[in-house]
Amino acid sequence: MEWKGAEKGSMDFKYLYINTMGCQMNVYDSEKIASVLRSSGYKMTSSLKIADLIVLNTCAIREKAEQKAYSFLGRLEDLKREKPDLIIGMGGCIAQQEGEKILRKMPYIDLVFGTHAIGRLPGHIEEIEKKGRRIVDIEMSESIQEIETAGGPENGVKPTCFVTIMQGCDNFCTYCVVPYVRGRETSRKPENIIQEIAEYVERGAREVTLLGQNVNSYGKKEGLFSFPKLLSLVNDIEKLLRIRFTTSHPKDLSDDLIRSFKNIEKLCNHLHLPVQSGSNRILERMNRKYTRQLYLEKIDKLRHFCPDIAITSDIIVGFPGETRKDFNDTLDLIKSVEYDSVYAFMYSDRPNALSSEFSDKVEDHEKKDRLKRILDIQSAITIKKNEALVGSDYPVLVEGLSNKQGGAGRQLQWKGRTSSNKIVNFHFNKNDLPEIKNCSGKIVTVRIETAFPHSLRGKPVGIEPSSLGSKGEESYAA
Ligand code: 5AD
Ligand code: SF4
């Protein structure tokens, strides 16, 4: 076989560099990309310089994400000039949206592939390697079967993993590009989902996040089981300790699913429930199909069944036609719900999205001002909530070593999350609990000592026996 790219001596492989932008769905897709290209002889590298194939997995959700993608691609032009054999591929949502146009705009790009083309990548790469062709594949498949055959992510050995349970969206919120770049809502078969999760768990994963644009409507179209039923099947997977899911649409949050937070043992007590706006007028213009009152009722129910559930949200400020009064309704809703945290975004027009044609756009400076006001109010709520945790003990699933090491007597610093999704950092102290050599994937009970705006710090006070495994005790250092 003829290998393209840098000389590897006697080694039969080439290097693949992937830059992933955007949401967790893209993180999952990038793992699939790495996995299918492994069969074409590509090994992952974190160095752009030695890469034979560079893939940018793009996000189109907001204008800023799009600018970031083009700025990265712009920087690759020189690299291609120095190394003409280099293959550059652009995938994901912008690729799906722009197709052919990318090849015309950027002559140094070899491949543009959409969100449904991952399974076909090996064939495309072979064509480029052998015939030097430039390829665009933005065909959308009707079903999710092609994704099924795309191979499993390599990354199952991390304590946490993502698994896509459905793709696409049928909701057509007026600001959103997703239905155009990810296609119609399609759910995967439960048996394939369970098998994939079980494989990761076998390889060391202890927590799974089920992904979809609107997981609450899982299986409805196909007449498969409901989402709560899927959760109960996932709950039965042995050695899996925690389940999360994202994203939920408030209109599809059923009473059954709300009760799952009480009844499904491994389901974490955190829900991301994007409200987008607190004004009924704007919610209607966004085509969200719920009112502020209905949303608040659902929050009350959630807290009734699971009193310490953490709730987070997405908010868009400056949607076309949003008046000061509408914006104040949003501020008021944030104060009354008291979210654990919110992601707030300035509205931006997206191609095809209906709201890009709405005429009454909000000025940029006004959007910036509204964004700042939301962030200020929410920061105060978040810190208050984090401070209330100080002095209590929480089980933390350890994800690995913290980015910041050193200090504190050079003990290893560990990082994990509570069930409510708060980041917790800790280290072992001689006088406390005996040190565990490798904490990753274990559940350590941590007594919270300090609260920060985005994380907590504490000391370990116990370990969950169920997370130790059969040879668990041996992992304690003498
Ligand atoms: N402008 C700003 N924010 C947007 N989002 C989606 N589309 C837009 C847009 N056109 C936000 C929503 C969504 C999150 C993922 O991104 O809040 O929940
Ligand atoms: Fe976009 Fe609305 Fe679908 Fe979410 S539910 S992906 S915001 S169209």
Side-chain angles (χ1 to χ4, degrees), residues 333-395:
L333 180 134
I334 292 174
K335 285 186 215 155
S336 86
V337 173
E338 294 210 312
Y339 289 110
D340 288 76
S341 67
V342 301
Y343 300 89
F345 309 102
M346 287 191 283
Y347 169 82
S348 59
D349 283 340
R350 305 311 300 133
N352 297 311
L354 202 62
S355 62
S356 60
E357 288 161 27
F358 294 178
S359 55
D360 36 3
K361 298 280 156 60
V362 175
E363 296 278 336
D364 258 10
H365 66 85
E366 185 63 33
K367 283 195 257 186
K368 275 188 195 140
D369 183 58
R370 292 181 192 181
L371 183 71
K372 185 175 177 312
R373 288 179 62 197
I374 292 215
L375 296 179
D376 286 348
I377 284 179
Q378 184 55 46
S379 297
I381 298 172
T382 303
I383 191 81
K384 185 181 92 179
K385 290 208 155 203
N386 284 354
E387 276 168 359
L389 306 180
V390 172
S392 300
D393 297 349
Y394 291 93

Side-chain angles (χ1 to χ4, degrees), residues 270-271 273 295 299 302-303 309-313 337 339-341:
H270 167 227
L271 178 65
L273 194 64
Y295 182 90
I299 299 283
L302 278 160
R303 288 186 167 146
I309 192 165
I311 301 172
T312 55
S313 193
V337 173
Y339 289 110
D340 288 76
S341 67

Side-chain angles (χ1 to χ4, degrees), residues 63-96:
E63 199 177 357
K64 238 185 179 170
E66 195 159 337
Q67 286 162 356
K68 223 171 109 188
Y70 285 119
S71 133
F72 177 79
L73 286 173
R75 294 202 300 273
L76 299 184
E77 192 171 6
D78 285 347
L79 210 59
K80 178 87 170 191
R81 207 171 296 126
E82 284 163 27
K83 201 171 155 185
D85 278 348
L86 172 69
I87 301 176
I88 301 178
M90 177 182 186
C93 296
I94 304 176
Q96 185 69 50

Side-chain angles (χ1 to χ4, degrees), residues 83-301:
K83 201 171 155 185
D85 278 348
L86 172 69
I87 301 176
I88 301 178
M90 177 182 186
C93 296
I94 304 176
Q96 185 69 50
Q97 181 183 289
E98 301 294 310
E100 283 281 339
K101 278 189 242 160
I102 304 280
L103 291 194
R104 267 181 271 140
K105 259 203 282 198
M106 287 175 278
Y108 54 95
I109 290 192
D110 305 280
L111 170 67
V112 176
F113 64 99
T115 52
H116 291 213
I118 296 172
R120 297 186 289 272
L121 277 180
H124 296 329
I125 294 295
E126 198 181 330
E127 283 271 288
I128 298 169
E129 286 176 340
K130 289 192 174 154
K131 301 188 187 147
R133 282 185 53 200
R134 298 177 79 208
I135 295 174
V136 176
D137 178 359
I138 52 169
E139 206 174 299
M140 291 241 188
S141 43
E142 289 289 300
S143 81
I144 206 159
Q145 296 319 315
E146 206 150 342
I147 308 260
E148 295 295 350
T149 58
E154 201 168 5
N155 236 342
V157 287
K158 277 198 222 152
T160 57
C161 67
F162 297 133
V163 171
T164 290
I165 62 164
M166 62 197 301
Q167 64 173 4
C169 182
D170 289 349
N171 284 317
F172 293 93
C173 300
T174 53
Y175 52 81
C176 188
V177 77
V178 166
Y180 307 97
V181 292
R182 293 256 172 200
R184 294 290 61 74
E185 193 174 292
T186 324
S187 297
R188 289 179 70 191
K189 292 207 177 89
E191 58 269 28
N192 294 341
I193 297 170
I194 300 294
Q195 191 191 346
E196 187 172 347
I197 301 172
E199 275 169 25
Y200 298 153
V201 170
E202 237 2 86
R203 285 152 66 190
R206 291 293 171 263
E207 176 183 299
V208 64
T209 304
L210 308 177
L211 297 178
Q213 304 299 338
N214 181 14
V215 289
N216 304 5
S217 63
Y218 170 81
K220 271 189 194 159
K221 238 168 129 175
E222 291 80 3
L224 299 167
F225 347 118
S226 66
F227 185 54
K229 170 82 180 146
L230 179 72
L231 285 176
S232 74
L233 287 183
V234 177
N235 193 63
D236 290 341
I237 297 176
E238 237 184 279
K239 289 195 276 181
L240 178 72
L241 301 173
R242 287 182 171 183
I243 308 169
R244 301 183 188 277
F245 60 81
T246 195
T247 290
S248 295
H249 195 304
K251 80 175 164 61
D252 295 313
L253 182 70
S254 64
D255 286 357
D256 241 14
L257 183 53
I258 291 177
R259 273 193 291 272
S260 302
F261 283 99
K262 185 173 176 189
N263 302 335
I264 295 193
E265 186 205 337
K266 295 176 186 173
L267 185 60
C268 290
N269 59 350
H270 167 227
L271 178 65
H272 185 61
L273 194 64
V275 69
Q276 311 298 359
S277 168
S279 149
N280 281 337
R281 207 177 64 84
I282 296 299
L283 286 172
E284 196 169 343
R285 282 168 71 92
M286 287 176 164
N287 192 29
R288 290 291 284 176
K289 302 188 188 99
Y290 55 83
T291 58
R292 168 197 178 94
Q293 289 72 20
L294 195 92
Y295 182 90
L296 290 173
E297 272 169 31
K298 299 214 179 200
I299 299 283
D300 282 348
K301 263 193 204 159

Side-chain angles (χ1 to χ4, degrees), residues 4-75:
K4 189 184 168 95
E7 272 297 319
K8 299 286 180 312
S10 60
M11 287 178 287
D12 270 3
F13 62 81
K14 300 155 285 180
Y15 284 116
L16 164 66
Y17 177 99
I18 305 184
N19 182 351
T20 308
M21 295 178 170
C23 66
Q24 290 155 334
M25 197 80 98
N26 269 12
V27 174
Y28 178 82
D29 285 353
S30 286
E31 288 183 340
K32 291 261 176 196
I33 293 169
S35 163
V36 294
L37 290 177
R38 230 180 303 145
S39 61
S40 309
Y42 284 93
K43 255 186 161 181
M44 289 294 286
T45 174
S46 54
S47 156
L48 262 181
K49 277 206 176 122
I50 68 161
D52 302 294
L53 167 59
I54 298 175
V55 170
L56 173 64
N57 196 2
T58 59
C59 167
I61 196 88
R62 289 174 295 274
E63 199 177 357
K64 238 185 179 170
E66 195 159 337
Q67 286 162 356
K68 223 171 109 188
Y70 285 119
S71 133
F72 177 79
L73 286 173
R75 294 202 300 273

Side-chain angles (χ1 to χ4, degrees), residues 385-437:
K385 290 208 155 203
N386 284 354
E387 276 168 359
L389 306 180
V390 172
S392 300
D393 297 349
Y394 291 93
V396 169
L397 175 67
V398 182
E399 290 173 14
L401 288 169
S402 150
N403 294 337
K404 278 194 204 139
Q405 292 297 327
R410 293 220 181 84
Q411 298 279 3
L412 287 179
Q413 307 289 313
W414 296 96
K415 178 180 146 185
R417 280 170 205 264
T418 62
S419 169
S420 60
N421 212 29
K422 314 258 183 213
I423 295 172
V424 178
N425 292 292
F426 69 91
H427 64 269
F428 287 91
N429 234 331
K430 266 202 194 117
N431 307 329
D432 302 335
L433 200 67
E435 183 172 355
I436 298 173
K437 275 183 193 156

